[in-house]
Every structure is written in C-alpha cells, then in structure tokens.
Amino acid sequence: MKKIAVFADVQNLYYTVRQAYGCHFNYAALWADVSKQGQIVQAYAYAIDRGDSKQQQFQQILRNLGFTVKLKPYIQRSDGSAKGDWDVGITIDIMDAAAQVDEVVLASGDGDFDLLLERIIHKHGVSAVAYGVPGLTANSLIRAATRYVPIEGTLLLKS
C-alpha cells in the first residue's frame, strides 16, 4: 500500500477558500480523498495560534481527524500588519518526510512551494500532489506537482 504524508497550510486554505467560495475547507473530505490513494502515515496542519476558543475547537477537530497540529504565535506588528508564516517549517517537514513515503500531499496554493515539489520528486522519486483553489493556486505549483487536485465540490464545507 502506498505510504502518504499530508501537509495542510491552514492559513492559505482558509483565505483562498473564503475568497473563492465564501465558505470553509473540508478537512474530513481531504482526509477521505487522500485515504483512497493509500495509507496516511504522517499528517500535519500548520496554523497560527490566536488563543481563541473557536480556533482551539477547530484545532481539536483536526487532531481528531489524525493531523498533528503545529502552531505558531500570531504576531501583530506595530504597523498593524500580521505575521504568521509556516513556509520554512512546512518545507523542512516535507523534506524530512519525502525519504520515508511514496507520496506527498500539499494542500496549499502557495507558489513558493514549487521548487520544493520539484526537488522531492527528483531527489526522492515521490509523487507530489497539490490541492489548491482554482484561480488562486500558483501556476508554477500546479506545473511542479505530479498531480493537481482543484479544491471544489465535496472539499468545501458549505453551511
């Protein structure tokens, strides 16, 4: 059975799904979809910790699905902008996992990950699947991935 590692860029998914569809991403549907392809042996969700109870409930839902939730503190800069970027952490974890699995699944539309997917495909011979919102996923990421899965339909949580 194919061994799969899943990496979910929670902030990217939240904002792109909200922008495109006005709803939320369905992590349970992602888990079910990926599980059809093989055994999920590692799963990480990368989020920003604002400390509010609604977010903590959401993080617990992710844990109940099987994700290890990695949190970074929310940083409000003096100019009013915010910082909470997981790109380097996601990259390190994917580089570590790629040698141990057959497939890496990245749920993010961030084009910064294109070189990462190219590298793990060539260096480790894994397949790299990118889940992203159509029109809001970088073309370079779609091209770099072995397979692109558009976030639509059952991958959306419509209230």
Side-chain angles (χ1 to χ4, degrees):
M1 182 177 272
K2 186 175 7 175
K3 292 192 292 189
I4 304 171
V6 180
F7 303 87
D9 183 350
V10 172
Q11 302 310 114
N12 180 276
L13 294 169
Y14 175 79
Y15 288 109
T16 57
V17 170
R18 190 176 75 172
Q19 181 181 337
Y21 301 110
C23 64
H24 293 286
F25 182 65
N26 187 339
Y27 287 87
L30 170 70
W31 193 278
D33 197 41
V34 173
S35 292
K36 288 185 221 159
Q37 309 297 319
Q39 180 188 6
I40 298 173
V41 295
Q42 294 180 45
Y44 297 98
Y46 302 84
I48 303 308
D49 186 12
R50 292 174 183 253
D52 66 77
S53 62
K54 201 169 178 184
Q55 261 202 331
Q56 289 167 344
Q57 285 177 313
F58 166 68
Q59 292 159 7
Q60 192 54 51
I61 289 167
L62 292 175
R63 288 184 189 98
N64 293 345
L65 285 171
F67 284 95
T68 298
V69 177
K70 292 194 168 193
L71 298 172
K72 266 193 180 177
Y74 174 76
I75 298 166
Q76 184 82 39
R77 295 188 185 117
S78 57
D79 67 359
S81 65
K83 170 130 180 63
D85 190 336
W86 264 110
D87 288 8
V88 172
I90 293 170
T91 298
I92 290 168
D93 288 348
I94 288 178
M95 295 289 283
D96 287 347
Q100 304 161 31
V101 297
D102 304 304
E103 183 169 280
V104 167
V105 173
L106 173 63
S108 176
D110 190 336
D112 290 342
F113 294 120
D114 57 0
L115 295 173
L116 170 64
L117 295 190
E118 288 172 6
R119 172 65 57 92
I120 63 167
I121 290 166
H122 295 300
K123 186 172 182 183
H124 298 287
V126 297
S127 57
V129 180
Y131 280 74
V133 173
L136 297 175
T137 299
N139 287 328
S140 61
L141 184 67
I142 294 170
R143 282 193 303 272
T146 311
R147 185 166 59 94
Y148 166 67
V149 180
I151 293 174
E152 56 195 8
T154 59
L155 290 169
L156 303 174
L157 260 184
K158 303 222 168 140
S159 40

